[in-house]
Amino acid sequence: MVEPDHPAYQWAKRQSDAVNAFGHIGTHIDCYESVPAEDEYLVDVVIIDCRQQPVSMADLHGVALTGKALILYSGNLEQHGYATPSYGAQDTAISSAVLTEILQQAPAFIVIDSYGIGTHGEQHISFDKRCESAGCFVIENVNLTHADIRAIKSLKIVIDTTDTATGKRCQLTALGKAVSEFA
């Protein structure tokens, strides 16, 4: 949970559209053009450790993603803390070609322990929209640790689909252990 004294909370409070801004802090799914059909999912996971280098085509070779959650473990949140200057400066973007390859394999979700799969701004929004149009949703700012990723086999994902903000709060539970709470 993002506390009221956290800089991200204070940033959201100062925005002219604070209701929408609050949806984009903490763990959430960006929903610009569509919303997940259900408010609860149970999905198997595929984890790619991308702490040392960005996800590549080779990482995706022979990986079955259909209907699963692809977890991109960058270590960003664990290493830098949520919404710190170092967190925002960490490059965790994937390439457009890699995103195309991922989406061709039809995952239900892409989960990342960082601010998104694209660079800040237009690419971030563009990548989220590409995912949505392919029936895949990006869940960002997920609190994962190296110890967590070694144990995760599946995720229960609960989404606040009633929220009117483009950022829909969500909760992820792995093997009975909550890894990310509603913001």
Side-chain angles (χ1 to χ4, degrees), residues 35 39 159-165 168:
V35 176
D39 58 3
I159 307 157
D160 182 0
T161 57
T162 64
D163 194 330
T164 58
K168 308 287 185 211

Side-chain angles (χ1 to χ4, degrees), residues 65-110:
L65 296 176
T66 303
K68 297 179 181 176
L70 171 61
I71 297 176
L72 302 178
Y73 176 63
S74 70
N76 190 18
L77 197 146
E78 182 179 25
Q79 182 178 3
H80 299 292
Y82 174 65
T84 64
S86 297
Y87 181 80
Q90 183 74 29
D91 181 8
T92 58
I94 64 176
S95 73
S96 182
V98 165
L99 180 57
T100 297
E101 180 64 26
I102 289 169
L103 294 177
Q104 286 175 350
Q105 295 188 42
F109 299 95
I110 299 172

Side-chain angles (χ1 to χ4, degrees), residues 24 28-30 32 92-93 99 112 114-132 138-141:
H24 290 272
H28 68 278
I29 297 176
D30 289 332
Y32 296 102
T92 58
L99 180 57
I112 188 163
S114 192
Y115 53 81
I117 60 170
T119 57
H120 296 288
E122 186 53 41
Q123 186 189 58
H124 179 111
I125 294 168
S126 170
F127 278 17
D128 285 348
K129 287 180 178 181
R130 281 177 60 191
C131 290
E132 287 177 40
V138 180
I139 304 174
E140 56 196 56
N141 302 318

